[in-house]
Coordinates of all heavy atoms in Angstrom, one line a residue:
F1 N 60.7 151.8 125.8 CA 60.8 153.2 126.4 C 59.4 153.6 126.8 O 58.4 153.1 126.2 CB 61.5 154.2 125.4 CG 60.6 154.6 124.2 CD1 60.0 155.8 124.3 CD2 60.4 153.9 123.1 CE1 59.1 156.3 123.3 CE2 59.7 154.3 122.1 CZ 59.1 155.5 122.1
Q2 N 59.4 154.5 127.6 CA 58.1 155.1 128.1 C 58.2 156.7 128.3 O 59.3 157.2 128.8 CB 57.6 154.5 129.4 CG 56.4 154.9 129.9 CD 56.1 154.3 131.3 OE1 57.1 153.9 132.1 NE2 54.9 154.2 131.8
V3 N 57.3 157.3 127.8 CA 57.3 158.9 127.9 C 56.1 159.3 128.7 O 54.9 158.8 128.3 CB 57.3 159.5 126.5 CG1 57.3 161.0 126.7 CG2 58.5 159.1 125.8
G4 N 56.3 160.0 129.7 CA 55.1 160.7 130.4 C 55.4 162.2 130.4 O 56.4 162.8 130.4
V5 N 54.1 162.9 130.1 CA 54.1 164.4 130.1 C 53.1 164.9 131.1 O 52.0 164.5 131.2 CB 53.6 164.8 128.7 CG1 53.6 166.3 128.6 CG2 54.5 164.1 127.6
A6 N 53.6 165.9 131.9 CA 52.8 166.5 132.9 C 53.1 168.1 132.9 O 54.3 168.3 133.2 CB 52.9 165.8 134.2
E7 N 52.2 168.8 132.5 CA 52.4 170.3 132.6 C 53.7 170.6 131.7 O 53.6 170.6 130.6 CB 52.5 170.8 134.0 CG 51.3 170.6 134.9 CD 50.2 171.5 134.4 OE1 50.4 172.6 134.1 OE2 49.0 171.0 134.5
T8 N 54.7 171.1 132.4 CA 56.0 171.4 131.6 C 57.1 170.4 132.0 O 58.3 170.9 131.9 CB 56.4 172.8 132.1 OG1 56.6 172.9 133.5 CG2 55.3 173.9 131.7
K9 N 56.8 169.2 132.2 CA 57.8 168.2 132.4 C 57.5 167.0 131.5 O 56.4 166.6 131.2 CB 57.7 167.7 133.9 CG 58.0 168.8 134.9 CD 58.2 168.3 136.2 CE 58.3 169.3 137.3 NZ 59.2 170.3 137.1
V10 N 58.6 166.5 131.0 CA 58.6 165.3 130.1 C 59.6 164.3 130.7 O 60.7 164.5 130.9 CB 59.0 165.6 128.7 CG1 59.0 164.3 127.8 CG2 58.1 166.7 128.1
D11 N 59.0 163.2 131.1 CA 59.8 162.1 131.7 C 60.0 160.9 130.7 O 59.1 160.5 130.1 CB 59.2 161.5 133.0 CG 59.3 162.5 134.1 OD1 60.2 163.2 134.3 OD2 58.1 162.7 134.7
V12 N 61.3 160.6 130.4 CA 61.6 159.5 129.4 C 62.2 158.3 130.2 O 63.3 158.7 130.8 CB 62.5 160.0 128.4 CG1 62.7 158.9 127.4 CG2 61.8 161.1 127.6
N13 N 61.7 157.2 130.2 CA 62.4 156.0 130.9 C 62.7 155.0 129.8 O 62.0 154.7 128.9 CB 61.3 155.4 131.8 CG 60.8 156.3 133.0 OD1 61.8 156.9 133.7 ND2 59.6 156.5 133.1
I14 N 64.0 154.7 129.9 CA 64.6 153.8 128.9 C 65.2 152.6 129.5 O 66.0 152.7 130.4 CB 65.6 154.6 128.0 CG1 65.2 155.8 127.6 CG2 66.1 153.6 126.8 CD1 66.2 156.8 127.1
R15 N 64.8 151.3 129.0 CA 65.3 150.2 129.6 C 66.4 149.6 128.6 O 66.3 149.8 127.4 CB 64.2 149.0 129.7 CG 63.4 149.2 130.9 CD 63.1 147.8 131.6 NE 62.3 148.0 132.7 CZ 62.8 148.2 133.9 NH1 64.1 148.2 134.1 NH2 61.9 148.4 134.9
G16 N 67.5 149.0 129.2 CA 68.4 148.5 128.2 C 69.6 149.4 127.8 O 70.4 149.1 126.9
V17 N 69.5 150.6 128.4 CA 70.6 151.6 128.2 C 71.3 151.9 129.4 O 70.7 152.3 130.4 CB 70.0 153.0 127.6 CG1 71.0 154.0 127.5 CG2 69.3 152.6 126.3
S18 N 72.5 151.7 129.5 CA 73.4 151.9 130.6 C 73.5 153.4 130.9 O 73.7 154.2 129.9 CB 74.8 151.4 130.5 OG 75.7 151.9 131.4
Q19 N 73.4 153.9 132.2 CA 73.4 155.3 132.4 C 74.7 155.9 132.1 O 74.9 157.1 131.8 CB 73.1 155.5 133.8 CG 72.8 157.0 134.1 CD 72.0 157.2 135.4 OE1 71.9 156.2 136.2 NE2 71.6 158.4 135.7
Q20 N 75.8 155.0 132.0 CA 77.1 155.5 131.7 C 77.2 155.9 130.2 O 78.0 156.8 129.9 CB 78.2 154.2 131.8 CG 78.2 153.9 133.3 CD 79.1 152.6 133.4 OE1 79.2 151.8 132.4 NE2 79.4 152.2 134.6
K21 N 76.2 155.5 129.4 CA 76.2 155.9 128.0 C 75.3 157.3 127.9 O 75.3 157.8 126.7 CB 75.5 154.9 127.1 CG 76.4 153.7 127.0 CD 75.8 152.7 126.1 CE 76.7 151.4 126.0 NZ 76.1 150.5 125.1
V22 N 74.6 157.6 128.9 CA 73.9 158.9 128.9 C 74.6 160.0 129.8 O 74.7 159.7 131.0 CB 72.5 158.7 129.4 CG1 71.6 159.9 129.4 CG2 71.8 157.6 128.4
N23 N 74.9 161.1 129.4 CA 75.6 162.0 130.2 C 75.0 163.4 130.1 O 74.6 163.9 129.1 CB 77.1 161.9 130.1 CG 77.8 163.0 129.5 OD1 77.4 164.2 129.3 ND2 79.0 162.6 129.0
K24 N 74.7 164.0 131.3 CA 74.0 165.3 131.3 C 74.8 166.4 130.5 O 74.2 167.2 129.8 CB 73.9 165.8 132.8 CG 73.1 167.0 132.8 CD 72.7 167.5 134.2 CE 71.9 168.8 134.1 NZ 71.5 169.2 135.3
A25 N 76.1 166.4 130.5 CA 76.9 167.4 129.8 C 76.5 167.4 128.3 O 76.3 168.4 127.7 CB 78.3 167.2 130.1
S26 N 76.5 166.2 127.8 CA 76.3 166.1 126.3 C 74.9 166.5 126.0 O 74.6 167.2 125.0 CB 76.8 164.8 125.8 OG 75.9 163.8 126.3
L27 N 73.9 166.1 126.8 CA 72.6 166.3 126.6 C 72.2 168.0 126.7 O 71.5 168.5 125.9 CB 71.5 165.6 127.5 CG 71.3 164.2 127.3 CD1 70.5 163.5 128.4 CD2 70.5 164.1 126.0
S28 N 72.9 168.4 127.8 CA 72.9 169.9 128.0 C 73.3 170.7 126.8 O 72.8 171.8 126.3 CB 73.4 170.3 129.3 OG 72.8 169.7 130.4
Y29 N 74.5 170.2 126.3 CA 75.1 170.8 125.1 C 74.1 170.8 123.9 O 74.0 171.8 123.2 CB 76.4 170.2 124.8 CG 77.0 170.9 123.6 CD1 77.7 172.0 123.8 CD2 77.0 170.2 122.3 CE1 78.3 172.7 122.7 CE2 77.6 170.8 121.2 CZ 78.2 172.1 121.4 OH 78.8 172.6 120.3
V30 N 73.4 169.7 123.6 CA 72.6 169.4 122.5 C 71.4 170.5 122.6 O 70.9 171.0 121.6 CB 72.1 168.1 122.4 CG1 70.9 167.9 121.4 CG2 73.3 167.1 122.1
F31 N 70.9 170.6 123.9 CA 69.6 171.4 124.1 C 69.9 172.9 124.6 O 69.0 173.5 125.0 CB 68.7 170.8 125.1 CG 68.1 169.5 124.6 CD1 68.5 168.2 125.0 CD2 66.9 169.5 123.7 CE1 68.0 167.1 124.4 CE2 66.4 168.5 123.1 CZ 67.0 167.2 123.5
R32 N 71.1 173.3 124.6 CA 71.5 174.6 125.1 C 70.9 175.8 124.5 O 70.5 176.8 125.2 CB 73.1 174.8 125.0 CG 73.6 175.1 123.7 CD 75.1 175.0 123.6 NE 75.5 175.3 122.2 CZ 75.5 174.5 121.0 NH1 74.9 173.3 121.3 NH2 75.9 174.9 120.0
K33 N 70.4 175.7 123.2 CA 69.7 176.7 122.4 C 68.3 176.5 122.2 O 67.7 177.1 121.4 CB 70.5 177.2 121.3 CG 71.8 177.7 121.5 CD 72.5 178.1 120.1 CE 73.9 178.6 120.3 NZ 74.6 179.0 119.1
S34 N 67.8 175.5 122.9 CA 66.3 175.1 122.7 C 65.4 176.1 123.0 O 65.5 176.8 124.0 CB 66.1 173.8 123.5 OG 64.8 173.4 123.4
D35 N 64.3 176.2 122.2 CA 63.3 177.1 122.5 C 62.3 176.5 123.6 O 61.4 177.2 124.0 CB 62.4 177.4 121.3 CG 63.2 178.3 120.3 OD1 64.1 179.0 120.7 OD2 62.9 178.3 119.1
F36 N 62.5 175.2 123.8 CA 61.5 174.5 124.6 C 62.1 174.0 126.0 O 61.5 174.0 126.9 CB 61.0 173.3 123.8 CG 60.2 173.5 122.6 CD1 60.7 173.5 121.4 CD2 58.9 174.0 122.8 CE1 60.1 173.9 120.2 CE2 58.1 174.4 121.6 CZ 58.8 174.3 120.3
V37 N 63.3 173.5 126.0 CA 64.0 172.8 127.2 C 64.7 173.9 128.0 O 65.5 174.5 127.6 CB 64.9 171.7 126.7 CG1 65.5 171.0 127.9 CG2 64.2 170.6 125.9
R38 N 64.3 173.9 129.2 CA 64.9 174.7 130.3 C 66.0 174.0 131.0 O 67.0 174.5 131.2 CB 63.8 175.2 131.4 CG 64.4 176.1 132.5 CD 63.5 176.4 133.6 NE 62.1 176.6 133.1 CZ 61.6 177.9 132.7 NH1 62.5 178.9 132.6 NH2 60.4 178.0 132.3
N39 N 65.8 172.8 131.4 CA 66.8 172.0 132.1 C 66.6 170.5 131.9 O 65.5 170.0 131.5 CB 66.5 172.3 133.7 CG 67.7 171.7 134.5 OD1 68.8 171.6 134.1 ND2 67.4 171.6 135.8
I40 N 67.7 169.7 132.1 CA 67.6 168.2 131.9 C 68.2 167.6 133.2 O 69.0 168.1 133.9 CB 68.6 167.8 130.8 CG1 68.1 168.4 129.6 CG2 68.6 166.4 130.6 CD1 69.0 168.3 128.4
Y41 N 67.4 166.5 133.7 CA 67.8 165.8 135.0 C 67.8 164.5 134.6 O 66.9 163.9 134.1 CB 66.9 166.2 136.1 CG 67.0 165.3 137.3 CD1 68.0 165.6 138.3 CD2 66.2 164.3 137.7 CE1 68.2 164.9 139.3 CE2 66.4 163.6 138.8 CZ 67.5 163.9 139.6 OH 67.5 163.1 140.7
I42 N 68.9 163.8 135.0 CA 69.1 162.4 134.8 C 69.0 161.8 136.1 O 69.8 162.0 137.1 CB 70.4 162.0 134.1 CG1 70.4 162.5 132.8 CG2 70.5 160.5 134.0 CD1 71.8 162.4 132.0
A43 N 68.0 161.0 136.4 CA 67.9 160.3 137.8 C 68.9 159.2 138.0 O 69.4 158.6 137.2 CB 66.4 159.7 137.9
P44 N 69.3 159.2 139.4 CA 70.2 158.1 139.7 C 69.6 156.7 139.4 O 68.4 156.5 139.4 CB 70.3 158.2 141.3 CG 69.9 159.5 141.5 CD 68.8 159.9 140.5
Q45 N 70.5 155.8 138.9 CA 70.0 154.6 138.4 C 69.7 153.6 139.6 O 70.6 153.1 140.2 CB 71.0 153.9 137.3 CG 70.4 152.8 136.6 CD 71.3 152.8 135.3 OE1 72.4 153.1 135.3 NE2 70.7 152.0 134.3
F46 N 68.4 153.3 139.8 CA 68.0 152.3 140.9 C 67.7 151.0 140.5 O 67.8 150.0 141.3 CB 66.9 152.9 141.7 CG 67.2 154.3 142.4 CD1 66.6 155.4 142.1 CD2 68.1 154.2 143.5 CE1 67.0 156.5 142.8 CE2 68.4 155.3 144.2 CZ 67.9 156.5 143.8
Q47 N 67.2 150.8 139.3 CA 66.7 149.5 138.8 C 67.5 149.0 137.6 O 67.1 149.1 136.4 CB 65.2 149.7 138.3 CG 64.3 150.1 139.4 CD 62.8 150.1 139.0 OE1 62.6 149.8 137.7 NE2 62.0 150.5 139.7
G48 N 68.6 148.4 137.9 CA 69.5 147.8 136.9 C 69.7 148.6 135.5 O 70.5 149.6 135.6
D49 N 68.9 148.3 134.5 CA 69.2 148.9 133.3 C 68.2 150.0 132.9 O 68.0 150.3 131.6 CB 69.2 147.8 132.1 CG 67.9 147.1 131.9 OD1 67.0 147.3 132.9 OD2 67.6 146.4 130.9
L50 N 67.5 150.6 133.8 CA 66.5 151.6 133.7 C 67.1 153.0 133.7 O 67.8 153.3 134.7 CB 65.4 151.5 134.5 CG 64.3 152.5 134.4 CD1 63.6 152.4 133.1 CD2 63.3 152.4 135.7
T51 N 67.1 153.8 132.7 CA 67.5 155.1 132.8 C 66.4 156.1 132.7 O 65.6 155.9 131.8 CB 68.6 155.5 131.6 OG1 69.7 154.5 131.8 CG2 69.1 156.9 131.6
S52 N 66.3 157.1 133.5 CA 65.2 158.0 133.6 C 65.7 159.4 133.3 O 66.7 159.9 134.0 CB 64.5 158.0 134.9 OG 63.9 156.7 135.0
I53 N 65.2 160.1 132.4 CA 65.6 161.6 132.1 C 64.5 162.4 132.2 O 63.4 162.0 131.6 CB 66.3 161.5 130.6 CG1 67.3 160.6 130.5 CG2 66.7 163.0 130.3 CD1 67.8 160.4 129.1
R54 N 64.5 163.6 132.8 CA 63.4 164.5 133.0 C 63.8 165.8 132.1 O 64.9 166.3 132.3 CB 63.0 165.0 134.3 CG 62.2 166.1 134.3 CD 61.5 166.3 135.7 NE 60.5 165.4 135.9 CZ 59.8 165.2 137.0 NH1 60.1 165.8 138.0 NH2 58.8 164.2 137.0
F55 N 62.9 166.2 131.3 CA 63.2 167.4 130.6 C 62.2 168.5 131.1 O 61.0 168.2 131.2 CB 62.9 167.3 129.1 CG 63.8 166.4 128.4 CD1 63.5 165.1 128.3 CD2 65.1 166.8 127.9 CE1 64.4 164.1 127.6 CE2 65.8 165.9 127.2 CZ 65.6 164.6 127.1
D56 N 62.7 169.5 131.7 CA 61.9 170.7 132.2 C 61.6 171.6 131.1 O 62.7 172.1 130.5 CB 62.5 171.3 133.4 CG 62.6 170.4 134.6 OD1 61.6 169.6 134.9 OD2 63.5 170.6 135.4
L57 N 60.5 171.9 130.7 CA 60.2 172.7 129.6 C 59.9 174.1 130.0 O 59.6 174.4 131.1 CB 58.9 172.1 128.9 CG 59.0 170.7 128.3 CD1 57.7 170.4 127.6 CD2 60.2 170.4 127.4
K58 N 60.1 175.0 129.1 CA 60.0 176.4 129.4 C 58.5 176.8 129.3 O 58.1 177.7 130.1 CB 60.7 177.4 128.3 CG 62.2 177.2 128.3 CD 63.0 177.9 127.3 CE 64.4 177.7 127.4 NZ 65.1 178.4 126.2
N59 N 57.7 176.2 128.5 CA 56.3 176.3 128.5 C 55.6 175.0 128.2 O 56.4 174.1 127.9 CB 56.0 177.3 127.4 CG 56.5 178.7 127.6 OD1 56.2 179.3 128.5 ND2 57.4 179.1 126.7
R60 N 54.3 175.0 128.4 CA 53.6 173.7 128.0 C 53.8 173.4 126.5 O 53.9 174.4 125.6 CB 52.1 173.9 128.3 CG 51.7 173.9 129.7 CD 50.3 174.0 129.8 NE 49.9 173.9 131.3 CZ 48.8 173.7 131.7 NH1 47.7 173.6 130.8 NH2 48.5 173.6 132.9
A61 N 53.9 172.2 126.2 CA 54.1 171.8 124.8 C 53.3 170.6 124.4 O 52.9 169.8 125.3 CB 55.6 171.6 124.5
E62 N 53.1 170.3 123.2 CA 52.5 169.1 122.7 C 53.6 168.1 122.3 O 54.6 168.5 121.6 CB 51.6 169.4 121.4 CG 50.9 168.4 120.9 CD 50.0 168.8 119.6 OE1 49.5 169.8 119.7 OE2 50.0 168.0 118.7
I63 N 53.6 167.0 122.9 CA 54.7 166.0 122.8 C 54.2 164.7 122.0 O 53.2 164.1 122.4 CB 55.2 165.5 124.1 CG1 55.6 166.8 125.0 CG2 56.5 164.7 123.9 CD1 56.8 167.5 124.6
K64 N 54.9 164.3 120.9 CA 54.6 163.0 120.3 C 55.9 162.3 120.4 O 57.0 162.9 120.1 CB 54.1 163.2 118.9 CG 52.8 163.8 118.9 CD 52.3 163.9 117.5 CE 50.9 164.5 117.4 NZ 50.4 164.7 116.0
S65 N 55.9 161.0 120.7 CA 57.2 160.2 120.8 C 57.0 158.9 119.9 O 55.9 158.5 119.7 CB 57.4 159.8 122.2 OG 56.4 159.0 122.7
F66 N 58.2 158.6 119.4 CA 58.2 157.3 118.6 C 59.6 156.7 118.6 O 60.6 157.5 118.9 CB 57.7 157.4 117.2 CG 58.2 158.6 116.4 CD1 59.2 158.4 115.5 CD2 57.7 159.9 116.5 CE1 59.6 159.4 114.7 CE2 58.2 161.0 115.7 CZ 59.1 160.7 114.9
Y67 N 59.8 155.5 118.1 CA 61.1 154.9 118.1 C 61.5 154.5 116.7 O 60.6 154.1 115.9 CB 61.0 153.6 118.9 CG 62.3 152.8 119.0 CD1 63.2 153.2 119.9 CD2 62.4 151.7 118.2 CE1 64.4 152.4 119.9 CE2 63.5 150.8 118.2 CZ 64.6 151.3 119.1 OH 65.7 150.6 119.1
L68 N 62.6 154.8 116.3 CA 63.2 154.3 115.0 C 64.2 153.5 115.2 O 65.0 153.5 116.1 CB 63.8 155.6 114.2 CG 62.8 156.8 114.0 CD1 63.5 158.0 113.2 CD2 61.7 156.2 113.0
V69 N 64.3 152.5 114.3 CA 65.2 151.3 114.4 C 66.7 151.4 114.0 O 67.5 151.1 114.7 CB 64.6 150.0 113.8 CG1 65.5 148.8 113.9 CG2 63.2 149.8 114.3
R70 N 66.9 152.0 112.9 CA 68.2 152.1 112.3 C 68.7 153.5 111.9 O 68.1 154.1 110.9 CB 68.3 151.3 111.0 CG 68.0 149.8 111.4 CD 68.6 148.9 110.4 NE 68.3 147.6 111.0 CZ 68.5 146.5 110.5 NH1 68.9 146.4 109.3 NH2 68.2 145.4 111.0
P71 N 69.5 154.1 112.7 CA 70.0 153.6 114.0 C 69.0 153.8 115.1 O 68.1 154.5 114.9 CB 71.3 154.4 114.2 CG 71.0 155.7 113.5 CD 70.2 155.4 112.3
P72 N 69.1 153.0 116.1 CA 68.1 153.0 117.2 C 68.1 154.4 117.9 O 69.1 154.9 118.3 CB 68.6 151.8 118.2 CG 69.8 151.3 117.7 CD 70.1 152.0 116.3
R73 N 66.8 155.0 117.9 CA 66.7 156.2 118.6 C 65.3 156.5 119.0 O 64.4 156.0 118.4 CB 67.4 157.3 117.7 CG 66.7 157.5 116.4 CD 67.6 158.1 115.4 NE 67.0 158.5 114.1 CZ 67.1 157.5 113.2 NH1 67.4 156.3 113.3 NH2 66.5 157.9 112.0
I74 N 65.1 157.3 120.0 CA 63.9 157.8 120.5 C 63.7 159.2 120.0 O 64.7 160.0 120.1 CB 63.6 157.6 122.0 CG1 63.7 156.2 122.4 CG2 62.4 158.3 122.4 CD1 64.0 156.1 123.8
I75 N 62.5 159.5 119.3 CA 62.3 160.8 118.8 C 61.2 161.4 119.6 O 60.1 160.8 119.9 CB 61.8 160.7 117.3 CG1 62.8 160.0 116.5 CG2 61.5 162.1 116.7 CD1 64.2 160.5 116.4
L76 N 61.4 162.6 120.1 CA 60.4 163.5 120.9 C 60.0 164.6 119.9 O 60.9 165.5 119.7 CB 60.9 163.9 122.2 CG 61.2 162.8 123.2 CD1 61.8 163.4 124.6 CD2 59.9 162.0 123.5
D77 N 58.9 164.7 119.4 CA 58.5 165.7 118.5 C 57.7 166.7 119.5 O 56.7 166.5 120.0 CB 57.5 165.3 117.5 CG 57.1 166.3 116.5 OD1 57.7 167.3 116.3 OD2 56.1 165.9 115.7
V78 N 58.3 168.0 119.6 CA 57.9 168.9 120.5 C 57.3 170.1 119.8 O 58.0 170.6 119.0 CB 59.0 169.4 121.7 CG1 58.4 170.4 122.5 CG2 59.6 168.2 122.3
R79 N 56.1 170.6 120.1 CA 55.5 171.7 119.4 C 54.8 172.6 120.5 O 54.3 172.1 121.4 CB 54.4 171.3 118.4 CG 55.0 170.5 117.3 CD 53.8 169.9 116.5 NE 54.3 168.9 115.4 CZ 54.4 169.2 114.1 NH1 53.9 170.3 113.7 NH2 54.9 168.4 113.4
A80 N 54.9 173.8 120.3 CA 54.3 174.8 121.2 C 52.8 174.4 121.3 O 52.2 174.2 120.2 CB 54.6 176.2 120.7
Q81 N 52.2 174.5 122.5 CA 50.9 174.2 122.6 C 50.2 175.5 122.2 O 50.5 176.6 122.7 CB 50.6 173.8 124.1 CG 49.3 173.2 124.2 CD 49.2 172.6 125.7 OE1 49.5 173.3 126.6 NE2 48.9 171.3 125.8
K82 N 49.1 175.3 121.5 CA 48.3 176.5 121.1 C 47.2 176.9 122.0 O 46.7 176.2 122.8 CB 47.6 176.3 119.7 CG 48.7 176.0 118.6 CD 48.1 175.7 117.4 CE 49.2 175.5 116.3 NZ 48.7 175.2 115.0

């Protein structure tokens, strides 16, 4: 996976995950009351098994990302920027 942060946008690119397993409705539901996330965009899948998700943030934030193995998941630790 790859995470890019620019201003108030966080782009997450994940290989090996079918876009059929990622759906905007479920992601939007999870983040509906978030203090940080304004909107979520899932890009059309152009490169085989690459899924790209953009999180538009309400304000600038400090982002740390890491991967956990069991169960497999990507963690984005989001903190308000001071």
